[in-house]
């Protein structure tokens, strides 16, 4: 079957980039809503008369549902115009936040978070393929870097503004503000997203077919390990700063802000670099992060400012990681970008949970330095795996030969 991914690509125009901006707004709204409970956990638990551990499941359930939704959305919506599917996810996001706002108890709260997981997983699965259809092939890395800038902005907003506005206005009103942002996102999507009819049927077995292609499973596995190593590190940055660096709350806040700004910068700069240096970026980022983790393990505590600088450099390096792996996907499996995007998104959601969970076990057993040592070792190993086993050239379906070599 011939690939039609380039046949319906619109001519490059300002309207195409406006549509890309609408995708970035979607990422911002979804990710901010995903992580808001982390900064509002105590008042949420008190208001709903549950423990903080129970309220914390609002994040867990979203990640788990997003994992499943990312795998199923392509086949479940295979006959629908992608414009309307993406807009439907924004409508679901609006409903999810409103349910959380009005929730009288934990059950309704978790139901709202389940809906958020559907929107989050589905949007991530389609975003890369949508970017490929909006802009010229050579501009895809830049489009993806713009889309992914929504992640660090949303993370900073959820952590800093979430707690600040929660104290000022109450946690429910923070979710009402998030609802307003989702409405704005929907309006921009309605105005900018062009019609994008489904290109061809994508049954559920396509996921298996994509994984069966030589090197694809290894690439997905490597991406998962990179994200696992990152979240094992990032989840426990604050305890490191408190226990090893001796930082107070003001220095911790400043360091995390610097991390977020560096992460945003790395994401924004990644697009142009990836146009010509995909393999080098895939390899260099985990290698850099692994070295930083081990520097903090061996030299951490010598100077607060040195520790803060290393953590900031980590943020800069990680900023390129989501863009790099999404760009990798557009190169190696462009003809099934939606299914491959679902696989990549699901693996990232799983790695978030796995990284935090393994890091927590090691933190309890060996302290924060043990967690950082695990993260650094894993990232150095995956850098070797990327250098030796991950392909960056197009991979044909099983049974087809086209002379392409790794």
């Amino acid at each position: 079957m011939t690939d039609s991914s380039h046949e319906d690509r619109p001519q490059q125009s300002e309207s195409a980039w406006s549509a890309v901006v609408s995708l970035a707004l979607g990422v911002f709204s979804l990710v901010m809503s995903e992580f808001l409970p982390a900064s509002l956990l105590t008042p949420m638990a008190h208001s709903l008369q549950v423990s903080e551990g129970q309220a914390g499941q609002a994040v867990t359930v979203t990640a788990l549902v997003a994992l499943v939704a990312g795998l199923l959305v392509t086949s479940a919506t295979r006959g629908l115009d992608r414009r309307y599917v993406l807009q439907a996810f924004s409508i679901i996001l609006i409903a999810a936040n409103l349910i959380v706002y009005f929730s009288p108890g934990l059950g309704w709260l978790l139901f709202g978070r389940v809906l958020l997981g559907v929107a989050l997983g589905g949007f991530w699965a389609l975003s890369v393929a949508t970017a490929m259809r909006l802009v010229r092939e050579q501009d895809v890395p830049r489009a993806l870097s713009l889309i992914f800038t929504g992640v660090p902005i949303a993370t900073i907003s959820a952590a800093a503004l979430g707690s600040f506005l929660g104290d000022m206005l109450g946690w429910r009103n923070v979710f009402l503000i998030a609802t307003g942002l989702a409405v704005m996102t929907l309006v921009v999507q309605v105005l900018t997203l062009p019609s994008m009819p489904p290109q061809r049927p994508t049954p559920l077995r396509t996921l298996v077919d994509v994984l069966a292609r030589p090197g694809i499973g290894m690439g997905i596995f490597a991406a998962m390990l990179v994200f696992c190593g990152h979240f094992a590190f990032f989840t426990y940055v604050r305890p490191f700063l408190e226990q090893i660096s001796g930082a107070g709350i003001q220095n911790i806040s400043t360091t995390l802000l610097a991390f977020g700004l560096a992460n945003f910068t790395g994401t924004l700069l990644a697009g142009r670099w990836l146009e010509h240096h995909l393999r080098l970026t895939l390899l260099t980022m985990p290698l850099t992060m692994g070295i930083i983790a081990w520097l903090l393990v061996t030299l951490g505590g010598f100077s607060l400012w040195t520790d803060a600088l290393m953590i900031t450099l980590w943020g800069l390096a990680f900023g390129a990681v989501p863009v790099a792996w999404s760009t990798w996907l557009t190169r190696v499996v462009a003809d099934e970008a939606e299914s491959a995007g679902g696989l990549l998104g699901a693996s990232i959601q799983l790695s978030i949970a796995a990284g935090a969970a393994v890091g927590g076990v090691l933190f309890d057993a060996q302290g924060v330095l043990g967690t950082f040592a695990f993260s650094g070792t894993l990232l150095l190993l995956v850098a070797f795996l990327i250098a030796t086993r991950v392909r960056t050239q197009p991979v044909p379906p099983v049974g087809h030969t086209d002379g392409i070599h790794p």
Side-chain angles (χ1 to χ4, degrees), residues 10-95:
Q11 293 295 316
Q12 193 75 11
S13 65
E14 290 185 8
S15 62
W17 285 100
S18 297
V20 170
V21 170
S22 79
L23 295 180
L25 284 173
V27 169
F28 171 74
S29 298
L30 285 161
V31 173
M32 191 179 75
S33 295
E34 180 183 14
F35 290 115
L36 272 179
S39 61
L40 300 169
L41 205 57
T42 300
M44 287 175 66
H46 179 74
S47 173
L48 299 172
Q49 298 182 338
V50 297
S51 69
E52 291 186 5
Q54 289 175 308
Q57 299 309 311
V59 175
T60 304
V61 71
T62 299
L64 292 176
V65 173
L67 188 158
V68 177
L71 293 174
L72 299 181
V73 66
T74 301
S75 58
T77 63
R78 58 188 177 183
L80 301 177
D81 190 311
R82 269 35 196 152
R83 175 188 184 185
Y84 300 121
V85 175
L86 290 167
Q87 292 170 3
F89 290 141
S90 292
I91 294 172
I92 293 172
L93 170 61
I94 293 168

Side-chain angles (χ1 to χ4, degrees), residues 3-231:
D3 175 25
S4 61
S5 62
H6 300 292
E7 295 174 3
D8 68 345
R9 191 188 300 275
Q11 293 295 316
Q12 193 75 11
S13 65
E14 290 185 8
S15 62
W17 285 100
S18 297
V20 170
V21 170
S22 79
L23 295 180
L25 284 173
V27 169
F28 171 74
S29 298
L30 285 161
V31 173
M32 191 179 75
S33 295
E34 180 183 14
F35 290 115
L36 272 179
S39 61
L40 300 169
L41 205 57
T42 300
M44 287 175 66
H46 179 74
S47 173
L48 299 172
Q49 298 182 338
V50 297
S51 69
E52 291 186 5
Q54 289 175 308
Q57 299 309 311
V59 175
T60 304
V61 71
T62 299
L64 292 176
V65 173
L67 188 158
V68 177
L71 293 174
L72 299 181
V73 66
T74 301
S75 58
T77 63
R78 58 188 177 183
L80 301 177
D81 190 311
R82 269 35 196 152
R83 175 188 184 185
Y84 300 121
V85 175
L86 290 167
Q87 292 170 3
F89 290 141
S90 292
I91 294 172
I92 293 172
L93 170 61
I94 293 168
N97 283 333
L98 284 176
I99 289 173
V100 171
Y101 172 77
F102 286 109
S103 59
L106 183 63
W108 279 102
L109 173 71
L110 294 180
F111 175 62
R113 301 296 292 181
V114 165
L115 290 182
L116 174 61
V118 173
L120 183 69
F123 191 92
W124 278 126
L126 299 182
S127 59
V128 174
T130 302
M132 292 174 65
R133 298 178 68 173
L134 289 174
V135 301
R136 295 174 300 188
E137 183 176 3
Q138 62 267 34
D139 290 326
V140 168
R142 264 187 286 173
L144 290 173
S145 70
L146 178 59
I147 291 169
F148 280 103
T149 56
V151 176
I153 296 174
T155 303
I156 296 170
S157 299
L161 287 179
S163 57
F164 175 75
L165 293 176
D167 289 339
M168 180 182 297
L169 304 174
W171 71 268
R172 292 182 187 273
N173 286 323
V174 176
F175 279 95
L176 193 60
I177 293 172
T179 303
L181 292 173
V183 171
M184 181 185 71
T185 297
L186 175 61
V187 170
V188 175
Q189 289 175 345
V190 169
L191 293 175
T192 62
L193 284 176
S195 176
M196 291 176 284
Q199 293 173 332
R200 60 178 180 175
T202 50
L204 194 58
R205 69 172 182 273
T206 304
L207 293 172
V208 178
D209 294 340
V210 169
L211 274 178
R213 297 189 187 189
I216 297 302
M218 183 60 67
I220 295 290
F221 179 63
M224 180 177 172
L225 292 182
V226 174
F227 280 92
C228 183
H230 166 71
F231 283 101

Side-chain angles (χ1 to χ4, degrees), residues 235-257:
T235 304
Y236 301 96
V237 162
R238 177 165 178 168
F240 176 88
L241 290 169
E242 291 173 335
Q243 299 173 16
I244 307 300
S245 304
I249 186 62
Q250 183 174 355
N251 287 327
I252 291 172
S253 299
T254 302
T255 301
L256 293 178
L257 177 61

